[in-house]
Amino acid sequence: MEHDRMPKIAENPRACLRTGLALFLLCLACFSLTLSHRYYGYEWATLEKAREILFKPLSDIVTPAGLMDVLAYVPAEIAGSVLFSPMNYYARDFFSLHTLPFMSALICLIFYYLARDLYQSSRIAVHLALILALATMICPYSKTGMEIQHSLWALFALWMLIRWRLSGRELFLVAAGAGAGLLTLTKVYGFVSSGVFGLWLLLDLILSRRERRGFSFRLLLLFTVPLVLCASLMFVQNRLLYGSWLLGARYDAGYEARRIPVWQALWGFLFSSGKSIFIYNPPLILAVLMAPHFRRRFPRPAGLIVMLILSGLVFHSLLWIWTDETWGPRKLHYLIAPALLPVGILLESSWSRREIRRRLLTAAVVVGVYVQILGVS
Protein backbone atom coordinates (compact mmCIF):
# COMPACT_ATOMS: atom_id res chain seq x y z
CA MET A 1 0.00 0.00 0.00
CA GLU A 2 1.47 3.36 -1.05
CA HIS A 3 1.52 6.38 1.19
CA ASP A 4 2.19 10.05 0.91
CA ARG A 5 5.84 10.85 1.45
CA MET A 6 6.76 11.73 5.02
CA PRO A 7 7.80 15.39 5.07
CA LYS A 8 11.48 16.03 5.62
CA ILE A 9 12.54 18.97 7.72
CA ALA A 10 15.95 20.56 7.46
CA GLU A 11 16.95 20.11 11.09
CA ASN A 12 18.40 17.28 13.09
CA PRO A 13 16.41 15.24 15.63
CA ARG A 14 18.26 16.78 18.57
CA ALA A 15 17.25 20.26 17.47
CA CYS A 16 13.67 19.09 17.15
CA LEU A 17 13.75 17.59 20.65
CA ARG A 18 15.23 20.79 22.08
CA THR A 19 12.54 22.86 20.40
CA GLY A 20 9.81 20.55 21.68
CA LEU A 21 11.20 20.57 25.22
CA ALA A 22 11.50 24.37 25.25
CA LEU A 23 7.94 24.70 23.98
CA PHE A 24 6.67 22.24 26.60
CA LEU A 25 8.41 24.06 29.45
CA LEU A 26 7.17 27.44 28.23
CA CYS A 27 3.57 26.20 28.06
CA LEU A 28 3.88 24.55 31.47
CA ALA A 29 5.19 27.77 32.98
CA CYS A 30 2.39 29.83 31.42
CA PHE A 31 -0.30 27.41 32.54
CA SER A 32 1.13 27.20 36.05
CA LEU A 33 0.96 30.97 36.53
CA THR A 34 -2.81 30.91 37.02
CA LEU A 35 -3.08 27.93 39.35
CA SER A 36 -4.95 28.26 42.61
CA HIS A 37 -5.43 25.88 45.53
CA ARG A 38 -8.83 24.89 44.20
CA TYR A 39 -10.29 22.11 42.10
CA TYR A 40 -13.15 22.62 39.69
CA GLY A 41 -16.11 20.41 38.89
CA TYR A 42 -15.37 16.77 39.62
CA GLU A 43 -11.56 17.11 39.51
CA TRP A 44 -11.34 16.88 43.30
CA ALA A 45 -13.26 13.60 43.24
CA THR A 46 -10.91 12.34 40.51
CA LEU A 47 -7.87 13.18 42.63
CA GLU A 48 -9.43 11.53 45.69
CA LYS A 49 -10.09 8.40 43.66
CA ALA A 50 -6.38 8.29 42.75
CA ARG A 51 -5.49 8.65 46.44
CA GLU A 52 -7.85 5.83 47.32
CA ILE A 53 -6.22 3.52 44.80
CA LEU A 54 -2.77 4.35 46.18
CA PHE A 55 -3.21 4.71 49.92
CA LYS A 56 -6.52 3.44 51.26
CA PRO A 57 -9.46 1.10 50.60
CA LEU A 58 -12.00 2.18 48.04
CA SER A 59 -14.95 4.14 49.38
CA ASP A 60 -18.07 5.70 47.90
CA ILE A 61 -16.29 8.58 46.13
CA VAL A 62 -17.60 8.79 42.58
CA THR A 63 -16.17 10.65 39.60
CA PRO A 64 -17.48 10.51 36.03
CA ALA A 65 -13.86 10.75 34.89
CA GLY A 66 -12.30 7.65 33.40
CA LEU A 67 -9.37 5.54 34.48
CA MET A 68 -6.81 7.61 32.55
CA ASP A 69 -7.99 10.78 34.33
CA VAL A 70 -7.53 9.06 37.68
CA LEU A 71 -4.14 7.56 36.83
CA ALA A 72 -2.85 10.94 35.62
CA TYR A 73 -2.68 12.07 39.25
CA VAL A 74 -0.76 9.00 40.44
CA PRO A 75 2.81 10.17 39.57
CA ALA A 76 2.31 13.50 41.34
CA GLU A 77 0.78 11.79 44.36
CA ILE A 78 3.68 9.36 44.62
CA ALA A 79 6.23 12.18 44.26
CA GLY A 80 4.47 14.27 46.88
CA SER A 81 4.32 11.37 49.32
CA VAL A 82 8.00 10.52 48.84
CA LEU A 83 9.28 14.09 49.18
CA PHE A 84 6.96 15.23 51.95
CA SER A 85 5.18 13.83 54.95
CA PRO A 86 1.90 12.06 54.10
CA MET A 87 0.23 14.52 56.50
CA ASN A 88 1.53 17.53 54.59
CA TYR A 89 -1.53 17.86 52.39
CA TYR A 90 -0.66 21.35 51.18
CA ALA A 91 2.65 20.22 49.65
CA ARG A 92 1.04 17.10 48.17
CA ASP A 93 -1.73 19.20 46.66
CA PHE A 94 0.91 21.51 45.16
CA PHE A 95 2.30 18.57 43.18
CA SER A 96 -1.11 17.26 42.21
CA LEU A 97 -2.36 20.65 41.07
CA HIS A 98 0.42 20.73 38.48
CA THR A 99 -0.93 17.58 36.85
CA LEU A 100 -3.45 19.66 34.90
CA PRO A 101 -0.99 22.20 33.41
CA PHE A 102 1.49 19.38 32.79
CA MET A 103 -1.04 17.42 30.72
CA SER A 104 -2.17 20.59 28.93
CA ALA A 105 1.42 21.37 28.01
CA LEU A 106 1.70 17.81 26.72
CA ILE A 107 -1.29 18.49 24.43
CA CYS A 108 0.57 21.50 23.02
CA LEU A 109 3.70 19.39 22.53
CA ILE A 110 1.82 16.70 20.59
CA PHE A 111 0.15 19.42 18.54
CA TYR A 112 3.58 20.87 17.72
CA TYR A 113 4.83 17.56 16.36
CA LEU A 114 1.60 16.99 14.41
CA ALA A 115 1.81 20.43 12.79
CA ARG A 116 5.50 19.89 12.11
CA ASP A 117 4.79 16.65 10.28
CA LEU A 118 2.17 18.32 8.10
CA TYR A 119 3.77 21.69 7.32
CA GLN A 120 7.43 20.59 7.19
CA SER A 121 8.37 23.61 9.27
CA SER A 122 9.26 23.83 12.94
CA ARG A 123 8.72 27.58 12.84
CA ILE A 124 5.11 27.24 11.71
CA ALA A 125 4.54 24.38 14.16
CA VAL A 126 5.85 26.43 17.08
CA HIS A 127 3.64 29.38 16.21
CA LEU A 128 0.61 27.12 15.87
CA ALA A 129 1.33 25.49 19.23
CA LEU A 130 1.69 28.88 20.93
CA ILE A 131 -1.59 30.03 19.42
CA LEU A 132 -3.22 26.88 20.75
CA ALA A 133 -1.71 27.39 24.20
CA LEU A 134 -2.39 31.09 24.67
CA ALA A 135 -5.29 32.07 22.42
CA THR A 136 -7.74 29.17 22.84
CA MET A 137 -9.64 27.40 25.61
CA ILE A 138 -6.66 25.13 26.21
CA CYS A 139 -5.32 27.85 28.51
CA PRO A 140 -8.20 28.22 31.03
CA TYR A 141 -8.89 24.49 31.01
CA SER A 142 -5.30 23.85 32.08
CA LYS A 143 -6.62 25.18 35.38
CA THR A 144 -10.12 23.69 35.47
CA GLY A 145 -9.39 20.26 33.97
CA MET A 146 -12.20 17.73 33.34
CA GLU A 147 -11.51 17.54 29.59
CA ILE A 148 -7.72 17.31 29.38
CA GLN A 149 -7.20 13.55 29.15
CA HIS A 150 -9.95 13.18 26.56
CA SER A 151 -8.35 15.89 24.42
CA LEU A 152 -4.86 14.46 24.94
CA TRP A 153 -5.62 10.95 23.69
CA ALA A 154 -7.86 12.13 20.87
CA LEU A 155 -5.03 14.33 19.59
CA PHE A 156 -2.47 11.55 20.06
CA ALA A 157 -4.58 9.07 18.06
CA LEU A 158 -5.07 11.69 15.33
CA TRP A 159 -1.32 12.37 15.17
CA MET A 160 -0.45 8.69 14.97
CA LEU A 161 -2.98 8.03 12.20
CA ILE A 162 -1.65 10.95 10.17
CA ARG A 163 1.94 9.80 10.77
CA TRP A 164 1.00 6.35 9.55
CA ARG A 165 -0.66 7.86 6.47
CA LEU A 166 2.42 9.90 5.70
CA SER A 167 5.04 7.23 6.34
CA GLY A 168 3.36 3.85 6.10
CA ARG A 169 5.10 2.63 9.26
CA GLU A 170 2.85 0.12 10.96
CA LEU A 171 4.07 1.02 14.45
CA PHE A 172 2.23 4.32 14.14
CA LEU A 173 -0.98 2.47 13.30
CA VAL A 174 -0.63 0.31 16.42
CA ALA A 175 -0.02 3.45 18.51
CA ALA A 176 -3.10 5.07 16.96
CA GLY A 177 -5.20 2.07 17.96
CA ALA A 178 -3.86 2.23 21.51
CA GLY A 179 -4.59 5.95 21.67
CA ALA A 180 -8.13 5.41 20.41
CA GLY A 181 -8.59 2.67 23.01
CA LEU A 182 -7.27 4.82 25.85
CA LEU A 183 -9.69 7.50 24.69
CA THR A 184 -12.55 5.31 25.92
CA LEU A 185 -10.90 5.31 29.36
CA THR A 186 -11.35 9.07 29.70
CA LYS A 187 -14.94 10.05 28.97
CA VAL A 188 -17.96 7.80 28.68
CA TYR A 189 -18.48 9.27 25.21
CA GLY A 190 -14.88 8.60 24.19
CA PHE A 191 -16.21 5.85 21.94
CA VAL A 192 -17.51 8.53 19.55
CA SER A 193 -14.05 9.71 18.52
CA SER A 194 -12.63 6.18 18.68
CA GLY A 195 -15.33 5.07 16.26
CA VAL A 196 -14.50 7.95 13.93
CA PHE A 197 -10.83 6.93 13.85
CA GLY A 198 -11.77 3.33 13.05
CA LEU A 199 -14.27 4.38 10.37
CA TRP A 200 -11.76 6.70 8.72
CA LEU A 201 -9.17 3.93 8.61
CA LEU A 202 -11.67 1.55 7.03
CA LEU A 203 -12.63 4.13 4.40
CA ASP A 204 -8.97 4.90 3.73
CA LEU A 205 -8.22 1.22 3.16
CA ILE A 206 -11.24 0.88 0.86
CA LEU A 207 -10.17 3.91 -1.16
CA SER A 208 -6.67 2.48 -1.37
CA ARG A 209 -8.15 -0.70 -2.82
CA ARG A 210 -9.98 1.31 -5.44
CA GLU A 211 -6.68 2.95 -6.29
CA ARG A 212 -5.37 -0.60 -6.90
CA ARG A 213 -3.15 -0.65 -3.88
CA GLY A 214 -4.95 -3.57 -2.24
CA PHE A 215 -7.05 -3.90 0.89
CA SER A 216 -5.20 -5.11 3.96
CA PHE A 217 -7.12 -6.73 6.81
CA ARG A 218 -3.81 -6.93 8.60
CA LEU A 219 -3.61 -3.15 8.82
CA LEU A 220 -7.15 -3.04 10.15
CA LEU A 221 -6.25 -5.57 12.83
CA LEU A 222 -3.12 -3.65 13.80
CA PHE A 223 -5.38 -0.75 14.71
CA THR A 224 -8.35 -2.66 16.08
CA VAL A 225 -6.62 -5.11 18.44
CA PRO A 226 -4.96 -2.50 20.71
CA LEU A 227 -8.15 -0.43 20.59
CA VAL A 228 -10.27 -3.35 21.81
CA LEU A 229 -7.73 -4.38 24.46
CA CYS A 230 -7.56 -0.88 25.92
CA ALA A 231 -11.29 -0.27 25.64
CA SER A 232 -12.03 -3.52 27.49
CA LEU A 233 -10.38 -2.00 30.55
CA MET A 234 -13.30 0.44 30.70
CA PHE A 235 -15.64 -2.38 31.67
CA VAL A 236 -13.16 -3.69 34.25
CA GLN A 237 -12.83 -0.19 35.70
CA ASN A 238 -16.58 0.25 35.97
CA ARG A 239 -17.00 -3.16 37.60
CA LEU A 240 -14.24 -2.73 40.18
CA LEU A 241 -14.84 0.91 41.10
CA TYR A 242 -18.56 1.42 40.54
CA GLY A 243 -20.20 -1.99 40.78
CA SER A 244 -21.35 -2.46 37.19
CA TRP A 245 -19.79 -3.54 33.90
CA LEU A 246 -21.41 -0.58 32.16
CA LEU A 247 -21.78 2.58 34.24
CA GLY A 248 -23.06 1.72 37.70
CA ALA A 249 -22.78 4.67 40.05
CA ARG A 250 -20.23 6.41 37.83
CA TYR A 251 -22.55 8.31 35.56
CA ASP A 252 -26.19 9.38 35.61
CA ALA A 253 -26.84 8.68 31.95
CA GLY A 254 -30.56 9.28 32.29
CA TYR A 255 -29.89 12.81 33.50
CA GLU A 256 -27.38 13.91 30.88
CA ALA A 257 -28.66 11.92 27.91
CA ARG A 258 -32.02 13.66 27.64
CA ARG A 259 -32.62 14.69 24.03
CA ILE A 260 -33.24 18.17 22.67
CA PRO A 261 -33.72 19.52 19.12
CA VAL A 262 -30.29 19.34 17.54
CA TRP A 263 -30.53 22.77 15.93
CA GLN A 264 -30.69 24.48 19.34
CA ALA A 265 -27.33 23.14 20.49
CA LEU A 266 -25.73 23.60 17.07
CA TRP A 267 -26.73 27.24 17.09
CA GLY A 268 -25.37 27.56 20.61
CA PHE A 269 -22.04 25.90 19.82
CA LEU A 270 -21.51 27.98 16.70
CA PHE A 271 -23.16 31.37 17.18
CA SER A 272 -24.47 31.99 20.72
CA SER A 273 -22.81 34.60 22.93
CA GLY A 274 -22.47 32.14 25.81
CA LYS A 275 -21.10 29.00 24.16
CA SER A 276 -19.89 29.81 20.64
CA ILE A 277 -16.64 27.99 19.96
CA PHE A 278 -15.55 30.97 17.83
CA ILE A 279 -16.06 33.54 20.59
CA TYR A 280 -14.00 31.52 23.07
CA ASN A 281 -11.43 30.56 20.42
CA PRO A 282 -11.14 33.46 17.93
CA PRO A 283 -8.32 31.92 15.82
CA LEU A 284 -10.79 29.22 14.74
CA ILE A 285 -12.55 31.84 12.61
CA LEU A 286 -9.45 32.00 10.45
CA ALA A 287 -9.22 28.20 10.49
CA VAL A 288 -12.65 28.04 8.84
CA LEU A 289 -11.52 30.50 6.16
CA MET A 290 -8.39 28.44 5.48
CA ALA A 291 -10.17 25.08 5.56
CA PRO A 292 -10.64 24.79 1.75
CA HIS A 293 -6.92 25.42 1.20
CA PHE A 294 -6.06 22.89 3.91
CA ARG A 295 -8.30 20.29 2.28
CA ARG A 296 -6.67 20.74 -1.12
CA ARG A 297 -3.20 20.38 0.34
CA PHE A 298 -3.89 17.55 2.84
CA PRO A 299 -6.99 15.71 1.52
CA ARG A 300 -6.84 12.55 3.67
CA PRO A 301 -5.89 14.24 6.99
CA ALA A 302 -8.49 16.92 6.29
CA GLY A 303 -11.15 14.26 5.79
CA LEU A 304 -10.30 12.71 9.16
CA ILE A 305 -10.42 16.07 10.93
CA VAL A 306 -13.77 16.96 9.35
CA MET A 307 -15.23 13.60 10.43
CA LEU A 308 -13.95 14.15 13.96
CA ILE A 309 -15.38 17.66 14.22
CA LEU A 310 -18.76 16.84 12.69
CA SER A 311 -19.23 13.75 14.86
CA GLY A 312 -18.43 15.76 17.99
CA LEU A 313 -20.73 18.62 17.07
CA VAL A 314 -23.66 16.37 16.23
CA PHE A 315 -23.25 14.02 19.19
CA HIS A 316 -23.05 16.76 21.81
CA SER A 317 -25.83 18.72 20.13
CA LEU A 318 -28.19 15.82 20.75
CA LEU A 319 -27.85 16.10 24.53
CA TRP A 320 -29.42 18.83 26.61
CA ILE A 321 -26.32 19.06 28.82
CA TRP A 322 -24.49 20.87 25.99
CA THR A 323 -25.07 24.15 27.88
CA ASP A 324 -23.02 22.94 30.87
CA GLU A 325 -22.03 25.44 33.54
CA THR A 326 -18.39 26.05 32.70
CA TRP A 327 -16.26 28.45 30.64
CA GLY A 328 -17.19 28.15 26.97
CA PRO A 329 -18.19 24.98 25.13
CA ARG A 330 -16.45 22.50 27.46
CA LYS A 331 -17.71 19.45 25.58
CA LEU A 332 -15.89 20.61 22.44
CA HIS A 333 -12.52 21.08 24.12
CA TYR A 334 -11.01 18.09 22.27
CA LEU A 335 -11.93 19.54 18.87
CA ILE A 336 -10.00 22.80 19.26
CA ALA A 337 -6.53 21.51 18.40
CA PRO A 338 -7.56 19.58 15.24
CA ALA A 339 -9.73 22.48 14.10
CA LEU A 340 -6.82 24.91 14.47
CA LEU A 341 -4.52 23.13 12.02
CA PRO A 342 -5.68 25.02 8.87
CA VAL A 343 -4.31 28.24 10.39
CA GLY A 344 -0.91 26.89 9.40
CA ILE A 345 -1.78 27.74 5.77
CA LEU A 346 -2.23 31.34 6.85
CA LEU A 347 1.01 31.28 8.80
CA GLU A 348 2.88 30.17 5.68
CA SER A 349 1.58 33.10 3.68
CA SER A 350 1.97 35.56 6.53
CA TRP A 351 5.77 35.38 6.23
CA SER A 352 5.36 36.98 2.80
CA ARG A 353 4.14 40.47 1.99
CA ARG A 354 0.45 39.70 2.37
CA GLU A 355 -0.11 42.35 5.02
CA ILE A 356 -3.89 41.89 5.33
CA ARG A 357 -3.57 38.25 6.27
CA ARG A 358 -0.88 39.06 8.80
CA ARG A 359 -3.07 41.69 10.41
CA LEU A 360 -6.07 39.36 10.55
CA LEU A 361 -3.98 36.68 12.21
CA THR A 362 -2.51 39.14 14.69
CA ALA A 363 -5.95 40.48 15.55
CA ALA A 364 -7.39 37.01 16.08
CA VAL A 365 -4.50 36.00 18.34
CA VAL A 366 -4.66 39.23 20.39
CA VAL A 367 -8.41 38.87 20.91
CA GLY A 368 -7.95 35.19 21.70
CA VAL A 369 -5.33 35.94 24.36
CA TYR A 370 -7.63 38.58 25.88
CA VAL A 371 -10.50 36.10 26.04
CA GLN A 372 -8.32 33.51 27.78
CA ILE A 373 -7.13 36.11 30.31
CA LEU A 374 -10.78 36.63 31.17
CA GLY A 375 -11.14 32.88 31.50
CA VAL A 376 -8.37 32.53 34.08
CA SER A 377 -9.01 35.74 36.00
Side-chain angles (χ1 to χ4, degrees), residues 238-293:
N238 291 339
R239 183 71 178 90
L240 293 179
L241 300 183
Y242 304 112
S244 172
W245 291 107
L246 293 178
L247 297 178
R250 175 185 172 190
Y251 214 75
D252 187 354
Y255 172 75
E256 296 206 8
R258 286 184 288 171
R259 297 283 301 276
I260 62 170
V262 65
W263 64 267
Q264 293 182 4
L266 280 175
W267 175 268
F269 279 142
L270 298 177
F271 306 114
S272 73
S273 59
K275 290 295 176 182
S276 171
I277 194 171
F278 300 114
I279 290 178
Y280 288 88
N281 308 276
L284 293 187
I285 298 174
L286 299 181
V288 173
L289 297 177
M290 293 295 104
H293 304 279

Side-chain angles (χ1 to χ4, degrees), residues 83-372:
L83 296 175
F84 303 99
S85 167
M87 301 304 294
N88 192 341
Y89 292 107
Y90 186 86
R92 287 173 55 190
D93 282 353
F94 176 82
F95 271 78
S96 296
L97 275 169
H98 281 80
T99 297
L100 299 180
F102 181 90
M103 292 297 173
S104 297
L106 196 56
I107 289 175
C108 297
L109 180 62
I110 292 174
F111 184 71
Y112 160 74
Y113 284 115
L114 170 56
R116 179 180 177 274
D117 285 344
L118 284 175
Y119 288 104
Q120 309 178 38
S121 168
S122 283
R123 182 174 62 174
I124 290 176
V126 167
H127 281 80
L128 272 177
L130 290 176
I131 291 173
L132 177 71
L134 303 177
T136 72
M137 280 169 47
I138 298 296
C139 180
Y141 275 85
S142 68
K143 178 178 181 177
T144 58
M146 295 186 285
E147 300 297 323
I148 294 175
Q149 286 293 311
H150 185 244
S151 299
L152 174 67
W153 292 109
L155 186 62
F156 176 79
L158 174 68
W159 177 38
M160 289 295 101
L161 274 178
I162 290 178
R163 280 218 125 198
W164 165 76
R165 194 66 184 77
L166 291 172
S167 69
R169 293 183 61 183
E170 295 177 350
L171 179 61
F172 294 138
L173 193 58
V174 175
L182 293 175
L183 189 55
T184 65
L185 296 175
T186 60
K187 294 289 188 179
V188 172
Y189 49 79
F191 70 89
V192 176
S193 298
S194 297
V196 168
F197 293 135
L199 178 60
W200 178 86
L201 176 61
L202 179 62
L203 292 175
D204 187 76
L205 293 175
I206 291 174
L207 290 175
S208 298
R209 182 183 181 184
R210 290 182 177 180
E211 295 165 3
R212 297 182 180 179
R213 299 175 185 173
F215 184 90
S216 175
F217 285 101
R218 180 174 178 272
L219 293 176
L220 197 59
L221 285 175
L222 287 175
F223 175 85
T224 305
V225 170
L227 188 158
V228 172
L229 289 176
C230 293
S232 63
L233 295 176
M234 178 185 69
F235 301 104
V236 177
Q237 164 205 269
N238 291 339
R239 183 71 178 90
L240 293 179
L241 300 183
Y242 304 112
S244 172
W245 291 107
L246 293 178
L247 297 178
R250 175 185 172 190
Y251 214 75
D252 187 354
Y255 172 75
E256 296 206 8
R258 286 184 288 171
R259 297 283 301 276
I260 62 170
V262 65
W263 64 267
Q264 293 182 4
L266 280 175
W267 175 268
F269 279 142
L270 298 177
F271 306 114
S272 73
S273 59
K275 290 295 176 182
S276 171
I277 194 171
F278 300 114
I279 290 178
Y280 288 88
N281 308 276
L284 293 187
I285 298 174
L286 299 181
V288 173
L289 297 177
M290 293 295 104
H293 304 279
F294 185 81
R295 181 184 176 278
R296 285 194 292 269
R297 181 165 174 182
F298 309 108
R300 293 291 174 83
L304 174 55
I305 293 170
V306 168
M307 289 174 63
L308 188 65
I309 293 173
L310 290 181
S311 67
L313 273 174
V314 172
F315 177 81
H316 292 292
S317 295
L318 292 173
L319 310 179
W320 80 278
I321 199 65
W322 73 272
T323 54
D324 205 33
E325 70 284 353
T326 51
W327 179 258
R330 176 169 72 91
K331 303 292 186 181
L332 305 185
H333 182 275
Y334 70 102
L335 300 180
I336 294 171
L340 187 65
L341 281 170
V343 174
I345 301 290
L346 190 59
L347 282 168
E348 283 184 322
S349 62
S350 68
W351 308 129
S352 66
R353 296 180 179 180
R354 299 186 180 183
E355 195 66 28
I356 294 179
R357 289 188 173 185
R358 184 184 295 114
R359 290 179 179 178
L360 284 174
L361 179 60
T362 302
V365 171
V366 169
V367 174
V369 171
Y370 173 73
V371 171
Q372 309 324 312

